């Protein structure tokens, strides 16, 4: 069961999983030059062989439906089955982006109501629903900022990014054509306000800040940061990936934020799905709302909901910078997120964020006597607890702890991030984990920490009870083999 061969090794191109009639020899060839000249390089398997192969592979995988997924800054919470039931309802599951608008009023209503909730929860003025994920949302926000600056004839070229921000922030700013400059963190893991103010000037378009930050801490100077950036003529982008910690408690708009993406697949429980589909709506301040991308949904005074696109935008929204995507966003994720919001209500959302913070602090204080917590003295953490490799025996590393967790039955935590902490271990339990589950995880982590401090060499070769032993990850990343070449070799070699 552990050694599952590749699907190419299970079948051959000479076999087929279905019976097809032989073509009539006298039938005319209608393919012309498109007729296949050589066998298709795909294995032929029967339906049972195919189903069993992928089922066996799935049994070797880890999933949120199997246990705690402690990846920091990922908010791997449970995906409620009620969300899935609603998303599969007729009219939602089969809606098509090219349907006539008058046949999708219900879908537009979902988008409008979800938009209303996101605006209310963040204290902002508008929201762009079309961005497909977090980084896509970041780009949307930065393009709105650029459009606003250009509209006033202000061609600024620098975006400031604190050390404690997400790694996609500087990448997004650079992709949008800006120069990126880092702002250091203070000893408490938060943005150095003095350093930030000293760098502000007429060339700074804005700041991209993550709050709560990747050290798991709330930026207590957030309002002062926003005020300083605005006074210098810049705008404030907030990475909302960690919004789950403050929903119903803090509204970013009240802190002076101009744009913030919201990961529906984090905060509002839609599935991460192995890399997709995500959804990253971007809420915008009054200053940036006129520049939101098309298309978007508008509810008129008479309650009529309509879709605004290029052909009907007219003079109503002249500042829109264009499109982020071909259609309207991730409809299935909108349906799931709105279901989650309505099933919780405002009070339930507030409780969820509080429970997420409570769980993270429980882990922090349950482990800070055996693992170094670099900002443990800075006060309570928010949604995630941060530890370092300080105190491990020589030769032992964060990677060894992560691999050891696999043998303990848990997915590893986020490793070596944030970069401001050496050997970082970032753990986010979310609100959906019980105390019993957290206690199991604590027991495993305490055992691994003691082994790392004692220099237990068996950790260096972990995992020992997984489908694969430890791989050379650096070699795999630098020289990946991504294509099957077996059909091009002799059968014995293949």
């Amino acid at each position: 069961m552990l050694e599952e061969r590749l699907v190419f090794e299970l079948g051959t191109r000479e076999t087929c999983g279905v019976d097809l009639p032989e073509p009539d020899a006298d039938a005319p060839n209608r393919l012309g030059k498109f007729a296949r000249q050589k066998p298709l390089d795909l294995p032929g398997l029967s339906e049972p062989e195919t189903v069993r192969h992928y089922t066996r592979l799935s049994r070797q995988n880890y999933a949120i439906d199997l246990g705690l997924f402690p990846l920091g800054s990922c908010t791997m919470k449970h995906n409620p089955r009620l969300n899935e039931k609603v998303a599969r309802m007729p009219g939602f599951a089969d809606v098509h982006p090219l349907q006539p608008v008058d046949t999708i009023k219900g879908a537009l209503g979902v988008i409008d109501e979800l938009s209303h909730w996101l605006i209310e929860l963040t204290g902002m003025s508008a929201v762009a629903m079309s961005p497909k994920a977090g980084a896509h949302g970041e780009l949307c926000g930065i393009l709105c900022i650029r459009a606003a600056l250009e509209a006033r004839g202000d061609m600024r070229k620098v975006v400031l990014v604190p050390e404690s921000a997400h790694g996609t922030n500087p990448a997004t700013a650079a992709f949008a054509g800006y120069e990126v400059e880092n702002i250091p963190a203070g000893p408490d893991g938060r943005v150095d306000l003095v350093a930030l103010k000293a760098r502000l000037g007429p060339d700074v378009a804005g700041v991209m800040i993550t709050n709560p930050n990747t050290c798991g801490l709330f930026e207590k100077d957030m309002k002062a940061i926003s005020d300083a950036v605005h006074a210098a003529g810049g705008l404030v982008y907030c990475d909302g990936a960690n919004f789950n910690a403050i929903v119903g408690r803090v509204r970013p708009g009240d802190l002076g934020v101009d744009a913030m993406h919201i990961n529906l697949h984090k905060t509002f429980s839609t599935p991460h799905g192995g890399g997709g589909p995500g959804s990253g709506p971007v809420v915008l301040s009054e200053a940036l709302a006129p520049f939101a991308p098309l298309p978007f949904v508008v509810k008129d005074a008479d309650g009529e909901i309509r879709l605004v696109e290029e052909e009907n935008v007219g003079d109503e929204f002249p500042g829109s910078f264009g499109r982020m995507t071909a259609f309207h966003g991730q409809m299935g994720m909108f349906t799931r997120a709105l279901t989650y919001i309505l099933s919780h209500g405002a009070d339930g959302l507030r409780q969820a964020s509080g429970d997420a913070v409570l769980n993270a602090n429980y882990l922090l204080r349950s482990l800070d006597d055996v693992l170094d917590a670099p900002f443990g003295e800075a006060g309570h953490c928010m949604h995630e607890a941060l530890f370092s490799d300080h105190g491990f025996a020589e030769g032992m590393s964060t990677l060894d702890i992560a691999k050891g967790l696999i043998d303990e039955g848990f997915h590893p935590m986020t490793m070596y991030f944030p970069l401001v902490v050496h050997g970082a271990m970032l753990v986010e339990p979310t609100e959906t984990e019980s105390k019993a589950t957290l206690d199991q995880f604590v027991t495993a982590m305490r055992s691994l920490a003691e082994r790392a401090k004692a220099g237990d060499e068996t950790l260096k070769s972990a995992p020992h009870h997984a489908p694969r032993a430890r791989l050379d990850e650096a070699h795999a990343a630098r020289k990946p083999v991504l294509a099957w070449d077996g059909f091009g070799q002799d059968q014995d070699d293949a």
Side-chain angles (χ1 to χ4, degrees):
M1 291 298 292
L2 291 180
E3 190 56 44
E4 180 65 22
R5 292 185 293 167
L6 297 175
V7 69
F8 295 95
E9 297 172 298
L10 296 175
T12 69
R13 61 186 178 189
E14 287 76 29
T15 60
C16 182
V18 296
D19 287 329
L20 297 173
E22 289 293 329
D24 189 342
D26 298 327
N29 182 359
R30 293 176 295 172
L31 296 176
K33 66 178 182 180
F34 297 107
R36 187 174 300 283
Q37 302 299 314
K38 59 181 181 179
L40 184 65
D41 284 339
L42 291 175
L45 284 81
S46 67
E47 181 174 305
E49 288 175 317
T50 306
V51 170
R52 289 167 183 167
H53 169 68
Y54 287 106
T55 300
R56 289 193 295 264
L57 284 179
S58 72
R59 293 174 65 181
Q60 297 182 20
N61 204 359
Y62 193 88
I64 191 64
D65 287 344
L66 294 176
L68 168 67
F69 224 119
L71 286 170
S73 280
C74 290
T75 316
M76 303 291 286
K77 64 170 71 177
H78 171 66
N79 311 132
R81 293 306 181 263
L82 176 61
N83 301 359
E84 302 302 315
K85 181 177 181 179
V86 174
R88 285 164 171 75
M89 292 172 61
F92 291 142
D94 55 0
V95 68
H96 193 282
L98 292 179
Q99 282 182 232
V101 173
D102 60 1
T103 69
I104 56 168
K105 295 293 186 180
L108 296 182
V110 168
I111 297 175
D112 178 72
E113 186 162 359
L114 178 58
S115 299
H116 170 77
W117 273 96
L118 298 181
I119 290 170
E120 285 295 314
L121 289 169
T122 57
M124 303 290 263
S125 297
V127 60
M129 297 295 292
S130 60
K132 295 294 186 72
H136 202 213
E138 289 177 24
L139 181 61
C140 175
I142 287 297
L143 292 180
C144 284
I145 288 174
R146 188 172 70 181
L149 293 173
E150 289 178 351
R152 71 187 193 199
D154 197 352
M155 306 298 289
R156 300 184 176 215
K157 62 179 183 179
V158 175
V159 168
L160 306 180
V161 180
E163 290 179 340
S164 56
H166 272 131
T168 50
N169 294 173
T172 296
F175 186 80
Y178 287 104
E179 298 174 17
V180 179
E181 295 187 20
N182 290 331
I183 299 299
D188 63 350
R190 298 176 172 91
V191 174
D192 187 328
L193 182 59
V194 174
L196 175 73
K197 288 182 175 180
R199 179 55 190 88
L200 291 172
D203 61 335
V204 175
V207 61
M208 295 187 78
I209 186 169
T210 304
N211 191 28
N213 67 30
T214 56
C215 296
L217 304 172
F218 187 79
E219 294 286 354
K220 62 183 188 303
D221 291 327
M222 188 67 219
K223 186 63 169 65
I225 291 170
S226 297
D227 290 345
V229 173
H230 290 152
L235 294 156
V236 178
Y237 185 91
C238 181
D239 186 313
N242 298 332
F243 188 47
N244 195 56
I246 59 175
V247 175
R249 297 171 183 275
V250 177
R251 302 197 313 170
D254 297 335
L255 301 178
V257 170
D258 292 296
M260 184 183 84
H261 78 266
I262 301 171
N263 297 85
L264 298 187
H265 49 285
K266 294 184 179 184
T267 304
F268 297 109
S269 81
T270 69
H272 282 67
S279 185
V282 179
V283 287
L284 302 167
S285 67
E286 185 177 0
L288 293 185
F291 306 98
L294 299 170
F296 49 83
V297 172
V298 171
K299 183 181 242 183
D300 294 326
D302 61 359
E304 181 70 15
I305 298 175
R306 57 190 172 91
L307 185 65
V308 176
E309 299 186 89
E310 287 84 354
E311 56 267 26
N312 64 348
V313 67
D315 298 327
E316 192 177 4
F317 305 99
S320 174
F321 69 75
R323 279 185 181 251
M324 288 297 297
T325 186
F327 298 114
H328 323 307
Q330 301 284 27
M331 188 64 215
M333 300 305 110
F334 296 160
T335 308
R336 289 172 173 85
L338 182 59
T339 302
Y340 176 85
I341 290 172
L342 295 178
S343 63
H344 278 69
D347 57 338
L349 294 174
R350 178 182 173 87
Q351 179 182 341
S353 63
D355 289 347
V357 173
L358 177 64
N359 279 355
N361 278 277
Y362 181 74
L363 289 185
L364 178 65
R365 299 312 172 191
S366 296
L367 294 170
D368 63 359
D369 61 325
V370 292
L371 285 172
D372 175 58
F375 303 114
E377 301 301 319
H380 298 307
C381 67
M382 295 298 292
H383 57 296
E384 55 196 357
L386 177 61
F387 304 98
S388 80
D389 61 358
H390 180 72
F392 289 179
E394 185 175 356
M396 306 304 292
S397 69
T398 289
L399 182 65
D400 299 327
I401 295 286
K403 298 301 185 183
L405 265 178
I406 296 175
D407 279 341
E408 297 286 348
F410 291 102
H411 192 283
M413 64 283 160
T414 294
M415 302 181 296
Y416 302 110
F417 178 79
L419 300 179
V420 295
V421 170
H422 190 276
M425 291 173 277
L426 194 59
V427 182
E428 182 180 3
T430 83
E431 73 278 5
T432 56
E433 300 303 333
S434 67
K435 182 176 180 295
T437 299
L438 297 183
D439 286 340
Q440 286 181 317
F441 181 75
V442 166
T443 299
M445 285 292 288
R446 292 185 69 89
S447 171
L448 292 169
E450 295 293 357
R451 290 169 63 189
K453 288 180 176 181
D456 184 346
E457 287 296 319
T458 62
L459 268 183
K460 300 297 295 181
S461 55
H464 304 104
H465 308 293
R468 282 287 179 270
R470 186 180 301 201
L471 305 177
D472 185 340
E473 296 175 351
H475 181 79
R478 291 170 182 152
K479 296 183 178 180
V481 178
L482 303 178
W484 166 251
D485 193 36
F487 287 144
Q489 307 170 18
D490 293 334
Q491 191 63 37
D492 290 341
D493 295 334

